[in-house]
Amino acid sequence: MSTDVRQKFSSPWVFILAAVGSAAGLGNVWRFPYLAYENGGASFFIAYLVCLAIVGFPFLLLENGMGQTTSKAAPGAMGEVSKKYNLRFIGWMGVLVSMFILSYYIVIASWVTNYAINSPAMPWQADSSQYFYQSFLGLTDSITQKGAFNLLTFVFVVFLYMALFFVMRQGTQGISGVARFITPIPFVLLMLLAINSLFLSGSAAGLKFFFLPDWSKLFTLKIWAAAAGQVFFTLSLGAGMMFAYGSLLNKKVNLKRAVLIIIAGDTLCSLIGGTAIFGVLGHMAVSQGVPVTEVVKGGIGLAFIAYPKALSLLPFIPSIFSLAFFLALLTLAFTSMVSLVEAAVAPIIQSKPSLTRTKVLLVYFAITLCFGLLFMRGNGLYMLDIVDHFTSGYMMMFVGMLEAIIIGWFYPISQLRTNLENNSQTKISQIFDWLIKLVIPPILALLLFSQIHTDLAHRYGDYPMEYLVFYGLGVMAFVFIMSIVLTRSLPNGKLAPPPASA
Ligand code: PFF
């Protein structure tokens, strides 16, 4: 018999910490600061806040709310939307997206582990770019050259899976433990790093890029697309996760308030991370006499090249700051991975209660590890870039758009609002209904079309077409097909009666 007793979180705070742990991740530290830098500093932040209000808040309330009111993870909750049509496949699509995200997210987390272990020696000090691409990744010149298999990455990935297994086999109790004891760690570490940044000479030069607005950029589609995309990624929407966590929340809890706190916590993490990063980059630029624009790198390069280099040049205990940074990244990544795993394990066990949690975890880890092998060769970084682009750039938003349309119009959304209001005796404005039904679907559709338009105009990353088709479109096709297969093969299982709280 299943060991997945659907134990609820023991308090709303544990739920909030778990959800903040999912939301605050690698994306807050390398994606948010870089997007802000590229899109006019504070102007980006304004666009981001507007997107949080009109997309992030209602959507998080929708996903958590569907989980909370049905006590089911994404597929089961979507299955409740219509009696006539089997809409569980939309939930499974989200779950499959989270599966691909996990398979590369854990590889990046293994690089972070390696950097944390190497922090005392800081072998990247002399040439951080050469270290990351050549010495560490063994990156090949092009995606067509496979290169050598990176055994060290594999070893750390296995180690991370073991840590995840240890936590996740305990179900809600394991997730709660991580939420209580690990979620706060990166906040403390990043805060220390940010305070240190503020006192460095020249930090103002870097912080200017993060905080001063460039109003002209506020009126471009690019800034709004970037802000909405980041809201989706950072709040872990469209990937089944927030349904799964919502399903572990007691029905009486005031979800509206919890969601506001989750969003505030996640945004705080991005702001502290950005301050820590741009202060140090400013210091490095000024002390080397070069413009800040020359020391900033986009994407993964920010976390593994520009920032480690800048930290290594600090006048005071650089290796400790370096260790603090990579530990912050590792803990951020770990809490997000816990949620990525739960997003898939919860619905599988709910659909087939005869399976044990241990068995499901082992099979799920084996499958994601197999996909992950793709990212451990010399061309792994290119592969990772493609799979990330098609999952977080397209699939999360596509799944989100389907959820908004289907729940908005067919459930309908007023039903969800009434359920939430009745359960927790709070009032939710009718604006929520309109945002889900009328505002969010066109926004997501517009984002998707603009993304398709850009990708058709310039082949993404200039990768050969066959790779984009096979690993990009192939992943999307896999998600579509497997979501149907899972819907047919895993019908709605009977839930065991819920036991008392953990
Ligand atoms: N929200 C996390 C971040 O910002 O890094 C990571 C994440 C987890 C993204 C799960 C997407 C997802 F489905």
Side-chain angles (χ1 to χ4, degrees):
M1 192 57 194
S2 166
T3 49
D4 178 70
V5 282
R6 299 293 301 154
Q7 233 170 7
K8 303 270 180 188
F9 285 123
S10 60
S11 90
W13 282 105
V14 177
F15 162 76
I16 289 170
L17 282 169
V20 169
S22 169
L26 297 172
N28 297 57
V29 177
W30 88 57
R31 230 167 156 230
F32 182 89
Y34 183 73
L35 287 175
Y37 161 80
E38 254 204 333
N39 292 289
S43 323
F44 176 77
F45 192 58
I46 290 171
Y48 179 77
L49 287 180
V50 172
C51 289
L52 272 183
I54 59 176
V55 179
F57 174 73
F59 212 87
L60 190 54
L61 193 59
L62 168 100
E63 291 202 343
N64 277 162
M66 285 300 287
Q68 188 193 25
T69 51
T70 62
S71 290
K72 286 177 183 167
M78 290 307 297
E80 301 271 309
V81 171
S82 162
K83 296 241 173 332
K84 207 157 146 210
Y85 304 103
N86 191 347
L87 298 173
R88 291 166 60 80
F89 75 96
I90 298 174
W92 282 119
M93 273 170 61
V95 170
L96 288 157
V97 170
S98 73
M99 180 180 84
F100 281 107
I101 295 179
L102 176 66
S103 68
Y104 69 78
Y105 210 81
I106 198 163
V107 171
I108 303 175
S110 87
W111 301 344
V112 172
T113 313
N114 187 287
Y115 267 65
I117 291 174
N118 275 307
S119 283
M122 292 189 299
W124 48 83
Q125 201 166 13
D127 186 343
S128 59
S129 172
Q130 195 278 341
Y131 175 81
F132 180 59
Y133 291 129
Q134 268 84 47
S135 317
F136 179 60
L137 290 184
L139 188 70
T140 53
D141 289 336
S142 93
I143 194 168
T144 52
Q145 294 166 264
K146 281 207 179 86
F149 183 75
N150 197 327
L151 194 61
L152 203 58
T153 298
F154 176 78
V155 170
F156 284 125
V157 165
V158 171
F159 160 79
L160 287 167
Y161 272 122
M162 280 160 53
L164 281 173
F165 179 74
F166 174 75
V167 166
M168 301 303 290
R169 63 189 258 275
Q170 301 171 55
T172 311
Q173 237 155 18
I175 301 171
S176 304
V178 168
R180 279 199 184 99
F181 299 109
I182 302 195
T183 299
I185 295 177
F187 281 80
V188 176
L189 292 174
L190 286 175
M191 188 67 106
L192 292 176
L193 287 163
I195 292 172
N196 174 60
S197 283
L198 291 177
F199 287 104
L200 290 170
S201 59
S203 61
L207 292 172
K208 200 176 83 180
F209 282 93
F210 192 46
F211 284 112
L212 284 188
D214 172 355
W215 298 117
S216 64
K217 295 210 168 147
L218 199 53
F219 304 100
T220 58
L221 180 66
K222 184 172 166 255
I223 189 173
W224 290 94
Q230 172 65 6
V231 161
F232 235 73
F233 186 79
T234 193
L235 293 180
S236 314
L237 300 171
M241 231 143 338
M242 290 303 179
F243 285 89
Y245 276 4
S247 74
L248 298 173
L249 183 63
N250 189 305
K251 288 201 175 125
K252 295 218 164 65
V253 172
N254 179 344
L255 188 64
K256 188 174 76 175
R257 205 185 55 170
V259 163
L260 281 173
I261 302 174
I262 295 165
I263 290 179
D266 180 60
T267 307
L268 186 69
C269 179
S270 298
L271 284 178
I272 309 175
T275 306
I277 286 180
F278 279 97
V280 172
L281 290 181
H283 168 75
M284 176 167 121
V286 168
S287 55
Q288 295 187 340
V290 293
V292 175
T293 43
E294 246 173 59
V295 299
V296 177
K297 283 231 154 32
I300 284 182
L302 189 62
F304 292 101
I305 299 171
Y307 196 60
K309 170 82 183 174
L311 283 179
S312 74
L313 297 176
L314 285 184
F316 184 59
I317 47 172
S319 53
I320 301 285
F321 283 110
S322 189
L323 181 63
F325 175 66
F326 286 110
L327 277 183
L329 277 190
L330 185 59
T331 43
L332 282 171
F334 192 74
T335 50
S336 295
M337 289 189 302
V338 164
S339 74
L340 282 163
V341 175
E342 184 63 14
V345 171
I348 295 174
I349 297 181
Q350 281 180 350
S351 309
K352 223 170 171 18
S354 59
L355 292 173
T356 64
R357 206 174 162 89
T358 304
K359 219 184 268 169
V360 174
L361 282 170
L362 289 177
V363 173
Y364 188 60
F365 286 173
I367 295 172
T368 48
L369 178 62
C370 285
F371 285 124
L373 293 177
L374 264 185
F375 314 121
M376 297 180 201
R377 302 200 67 113
N379 64 351
L381 187 62
Y382 306 122
M383 295 290 196
L384 193 154
D385 187 33
I386 293 180
V387 175
D388 172 57
H389 180 70
F390 282 88
T391 48
S392 66
Y394 281 105
M395 290 307 283
M396 287 173 81
M397 279 189 247
F398 181 69
V399 173
M401 187 179 75
L402 290 184
E403 284 172 10
I405 295 172
I406 301 276
I407 300 174
W409 294 93
F410 294 98
Y411 189 45
I413 192 71
S414 53
Q415 171 77 43
L416 173 65
R417 183 165 50 83
T418 317
N419 290 350
L420 289 172
E421 287 181 335
N422 291 344
N423 288 346
S424 66
Q425 317 287 333
T426 36
K427 192 97 199 80
I428 298 172
S429 162
Q430 261 195 13
I431 297 173
F432 171 62
D433 299 8
W434 300 118
L435 287 174
I436 297 286
K437 284 163 92 161
L438 296 171
V439 178
I440 292 180
I443 289 181
L444 293 179
L446 188 71
L447 282 181
L448 284 166
F449 281 122
S450 83
Q451 188 71 53
I452 293 172
H453 182 261
T454 317
D455 281 353
L456 288 178
H458 312 275
R459 200 158 14 103
Y460 180 71
D462 273 336
Y463 295 117
M465 203 54 182
E466 61 271 27
Y467 280 81
L468 291 174
V469 170
F470 194 77
Y471 294 102
L473 301 181
V475 163
M476 300 208 312
F478 182 90
V479 169
F480 286 122
I481 295 167
M482 279 308 287
S483 67
I484 309 277
V485 171
L486 287 167
T487 302
R488 302 217 156 173
S489 56
L490 290 178
N492 217 347
K494 291 254 174 304
L495 294 181
S501 307

